[in-house]
Amino acid sequence: MTPPVVDSPRHWLLGSAYHLRQDPLRRIPEWASRYDGGLFTVRMPFVGEAAVVTSPDLARRVLVTNASCYQRKSRSYSVLRILMGEGLVTSEGALWKTQRKLVQPAFHPRRLEAIFAMKVERVHAMAGELSEAARSGQAIDVGPLLSRLTLDIISRAMFSSDSQGSARDVSHHIATLNEWALHALRHPWLLLLPRKLPLPVFADMRRALTELERIVRGIIRERRENPGNHDDLLSMLLAACEEGSGLGMSDSQLRDEVMTMYIAGHETTANAMAWILYLVSRHPQVEARLHEEIDANFPEHELRLEDMAAFPFVRQVIDESLRLYPTIWAVGRCCTETHELGGYQIAVGTNVLVPIFHFHWNEDAWENARDFDPDRFSAERRPPADSPHYFPFGAGPRGCIGNHFALQELMIMTILFHRHNSFRVEDGFKVEADPLITLRPKHGMRMVVSERTPQAPATAPAVREARTCPFSGSSS
């Protein structure tokens, strides 16, 4: 028996697939309530069928317990493969397993200590720009600023400070490719055309890819010839070797992983921060608690990694924002082994969509699920790490390898941005989520920034118990 097929609403040519592509945030919950089995199929002309999983138990089987039956990424990842090659996000099978083992040490929580100070310094610089905007009194779109900041951080983390000239060029070309990818997702017919066609829509993309290939391979070649003493992600990747064989990555593999870290490591974090600013700005009581915690616990010295444990409410705000606006709003897999799922037969080659946002918004799992309530993630109420209702970084063996990197960055930005500023959405500006590669603000995020003066705590802060820093395993 196969899963039920969605029969309405239907587009005259593309059927229900049109509505899945145009408005998944509305249609998937609507169809989930119609089809009780937690699994239904959307027929996609010219592509095939996509099974959509809306049961948390079935989603866990796809991503975790039966992950071996879904070792390929779905066809929707083709646009990312154009940009990332065979990096961790897009590679499959034995290649992915090998690359995961090689890349994993670069993102160990303790490795983040080496680049924490750099992140603080770059966020401080951006906080200064926001303060200047506050003095002007003019509304600004914070989206491009956040994207520039996260690109800057991943550039420095990847290549260290002595390669910033090249890193800036890489950042420029990555931004060009990211915009092309978004355009292609809005107009999927572009992916059916040969990219060598002399069309303007392909010209900038080809030029950016060519230049990136030249720059990244040049940096890799230079590092191989002159290793030096660099404490950055590229050095970690160059030093990584397979157990037993002692073989490291080829230049092509390194290029693909560098591209993957750039693209996956900036867009998601920038969008997540935009949603945090938006949600806090709309909830004055949350903002007041956030300011109070930051003011009471901000250290006399420069912010350090061990200080992160002193800001539990900041972390709650981030976690709740990722629940309401998971930047990775869905993950796709392709069935590689016929098997039973929820009483239905899933055939080899079937695309399977796991809509993360649907589980985050599920009224059966979360009381008043669409409300912004950071206390859901207090120590007493926080869901378990393996919760089938909350997995903003994915789940199972292919969960996001850079989750600690991203959370650390979001903590720093939330603290430093709100230390001296407050934010309000510009009057009359429409905020709307756009589910493309990531869940991004469709029209940007125009905000009015106001300066604020940190307030001394009413009473002296109590001596804090030693708590584990969420990114290092150390205590503070």
Side-chain angles (χ1 to χ4, degrees), residues 463-474:
V463 177
R464 299 195 306 269
E465 294 181 8
R467 286 193 295 256
T468 299
C469 174
F471 310 114
S472 70
S474 60

PDB file of all heavy atoms in Angstrom, residues 463-474:
ATOM      1  N   VAL A 463      26.587  35.046  43.903  1.00  0.00           N
ATOM      2  CA  VAL A 463      27.671  34.194  43.417  1.00  0.00           C
ATOM      3  C   VAL A 463      27.047  33.048  42.624  1.00  0.00           C
ATOM      4  O   VAL A 463      26.169  32.331  43.113  1.00  0.00           O
ATOM      5  CB  VAL A 463      28.495  33.638  44.598  1.00  0.00           C
ATOM      6  CG1 VAL A 463      29.565  32.686  44.076  1.00  0.00           C
ATOM      7  CG2 VAL A 463      29.116  34.787  45.383  1.00  0.00           C
ATOM      8  N   ARG A 464      27.477  32.908  41.394  1.00  0.00           N
ATOM      9  CA  ARG A 464      26.871  31.905  40.523  1.00  0.00           C
ATOM     10  C   ARG A 464      27.465  30.520  40.783  1.00  0.00           C
ATOM     11  O   ARG A 464      28.661  30.381  41.033  1.00  0.00           O
ATOM     12  CB  ARG A 464      27.089  32.271  39.041  1.00  0.00           C
ATOM     13  CG  ARG A 464      26.467  33.576  38.652  1.00  0.00           C
ATOM     14  CD  ARG A 464      26.424  33.664  37.125  1.00  0.00           C
ATOM     15  NE  ARG A 464      27.702  33.451  36.496  1.00  0.00           N
ATOM     16  CZ  ARG A 464      28.562  34.419  36.211  1.00  0.00           C
ATOM     17  NH1 ARG A 464      28.279  35.667  36.522  1.00  0.00           N
ATOM     18  NH2 ARG A 464      29.703  34.149  35.614  1.00  0.00           N
ATOM     19  N   GLU A 465      26.595  29.534  40.711  1.00  0.00           N
ATOM     20  CA  GLU A 465      27.094  28.167  40.755  1.00  0.00           C
ATOM     21  C   GLU A 465      27.882  27.885  39.486  1.00  0.00           C
ATOM     22  O   GLU A 465      27.616  28.465  38.426  1.00  0.00           O
ATOM     23  CB  GLU A 465      25.924  27.185  40.834  1.00  0.00           C
ATOM     24  CG  GLU A 465      25.127  27.279  42.124  1.00  0.00           C
ATOM     25  CD  GLU A 465      24.015  26.259  42.144  1.00  0.00           C
ATOM     26  OE1 GLU A 465      23.979  25.406  41.240  1.00  0.00           O
ATOM     27  OE2 GLU A 465      23.194  26.313  43.067  1.00  0.00           O
ATOM     28  N   ALA A 466      28.856  26.994  39.611  1.00  0.00           N
ATOM     29  CA  ALA A 466      29.605  26.609  38.412  1.00  0.00           C
ATOM     30  C   ALA A 466      28.673  25.901  37.454  1.00  0.00           C
ATOM     31  O   ALA A 466      27.990  24.949  37.828  1.00  0.00           O
ATOM     32  CB  ALA A 466      30.769  25.686  38.790  1.00  0.00           C
ATOM     33  N   ARG A 467      28.604  26.397  36.222  1.00  0.00           N
ATOM     34  CA  ARG A 467      27.753  25.791  35.215  1.00  0.00           C
ATOM     35  C   ARG A 467      28.599  25.439  33.995  1.00  0.00           C
ATOM     36  O   ARG A 467      29.571  26.097  33.711  1.00  0.00           O
ATOM     37  CB  ARG A 467      26.613  26.751  34.803  1.00  0.00           C
ATOM     38  CG  ARG A 467      25.537  26.900  35.827  1.00  0.00           C
ATOM     39  CD  ARG A 467      24.327  27.586  35.204  1.00  0.00           C
ATOM     40  NE  ARG A 467      24.620  28.939  34.817  1.00  0.00           N
ATOM     41  CZ  ARG A 467      24.226  30.018  35.475  1.00  0.00           C
ATOM     42  NH1 ARG A 467      23.524  29.871  36.577  1.00  0.00           N
ATOM     43  NH2 ARG A 467      24.500  31.230  35.049  1.00  0.00           N
ATOM     44  N   THR A 468      28.158  24.423  33.321  1.00  0.00           N
ATOM     45  CA  THR A 468      28.888  24.002  32.124  1.00  0.00           C
ATOM     46  C   THR A 468      28.654  24.999  30.991  1.00  0.00           C
ATOM     47  O   THR A 468      27.518  25.318  30.664  1.00  0.00           O
ATOM     48  CB  THR A 468      28.453  22.611  31.690  1.00  0.00           C
ATOM     49  OG1 THR A 468      28.752  21.699  32.731  1.00  0.00           O
ATOM     50  CG2 THR A 468      29.187  22.171  30.430  1.00  0.00           C
ATOM     51  N   CYS A 469      29.718  25.472  30.403  1.00  0.00           N
ATOM     52  CA  CYS A 469      29.587  26.319  29.225  1.00  0.00           C
ATOM     53  C   CYS A 469      29.058  25.465  28.097  1.00  0.00           C
ATOM     54  O   CYS A 469      29.560  24.357  27.858  1.00  0.00           O
ATOM     55  CB  CYS A 469      30.949  26.907  28.841  1.00  0.00           C
ATOM     56  SG  CYS A 469      30.912  27.822  27.292  1.00  0.00           S
ATOM     57  N   PRO A 470      28.007  25.897  27.387  1.00  0.00           N
ATOM     58  CA  PRO A 470      27.377  25.037  26.379  1.00  0.00           C
ATOM     59  C   PRO A 470      28.227  24.776  25.145  1.00  0.00           C
ATOM     60  O   PRO A 470      27.841  24.002  24.306  1.00  0.00           O
ATOM     61  CB  PRO A 470      26.113  25.835  25.997  1.00  0.00           C
ATOM     62  CG  PRO A 470      26.433  27.260  26.332  1.00  0.00           C
ATOM     63  CD  PRO A 470      27.325  27.193  27.523  1.00  0.00           C
ATOM     64  N   PHE A 471      29.403  25.401  25.056  1.00  0.00           N
ATOM     65  CA  PHE A 471      30.196  25.247  23.829  1.00  0.00           C
ATOM     66  C   PHE A 471      31.601  24.722  24.078  1.00  0.00           C
ATOM     67  O   PHE A 471      32.348  24.529  23.153  1.00  0.00           O
ATOM     68  CB  PHE A 471      30.296  26.594  23.093  1.00  0.00           C
ATOM     69  CG  PHE A 471      28.966  27.242  22.924  1.00  0.00           C
ATOM     70  CD1 PHE A 471      28.658  28.409  23.557  1.00  0.00           C
ATOM     71  CD2 PHE A 471      28.006  26.645  22.131  1.00  0.00           C
ATOM     72  CE1 PHE A 471      27.416  29.002  23.405  1.00  0.00           C
ATOM     73  CE2 PHE A 471      26.761  27.224  21.966  1.00  0.00           C
ATOM     74  CZ  PHE A 471      26.466  28.398  22.597  1.00  0.00           C
ATOM     75  N   SER A 472      31.990  24.513  25.332  1.00  0.00           N
ATOM     76  CA  SER A 472      33.367  24.097  25.552  1.00  0.00           C
ATOM     77  C   SER A 472      33.504  22.878  26.462  1.00  0.00           C
ATOM     78  O   SER A 472      34.543  22.237  26.471  1.00  0.00           O
ATOM     79  CB  SER A 472      34.161  25.241  26.191  1.00  0.00           C
ATOM     80  OG  SER A 472      33.738  25.466  27.527  1.00  0.00           O
ATOM     81  N   GLY A 473      32.463  22.596  27.238  1.00  0.00           N
ATOM     82  CA  GLY A 473      32.580  21.507  28.186  1.00  0.00           C
ATOM     83  C   GLY A 473      33.275  21.930  29.473  1.00  0.00           C
ATOM     84  O   GLY A 473      33.408  21.141  30.384  1.00  0.00           O
ATOM     85  N   SER A 474      33.712  23.210  29.549  1.00  0.00           N
ATOM     86  CA  SER A 474      34.347  23.710  30.761  1.00  0.00           C
ATOM     87  C   SER A 474      33.303  24.340  31.659  1.00  0.00           C
ATOM     88  O   SER A 474      32.166  24.552  31.280  1.00  0.00           O
ATOM     89  CB  SER A 474      35.423  24.733  30.410  1.00  0.00           C
ATOM     90  OG  SER A 474      34.857  25.823  29.729  1.00  0.00           O
TER      91      SER A 474
END
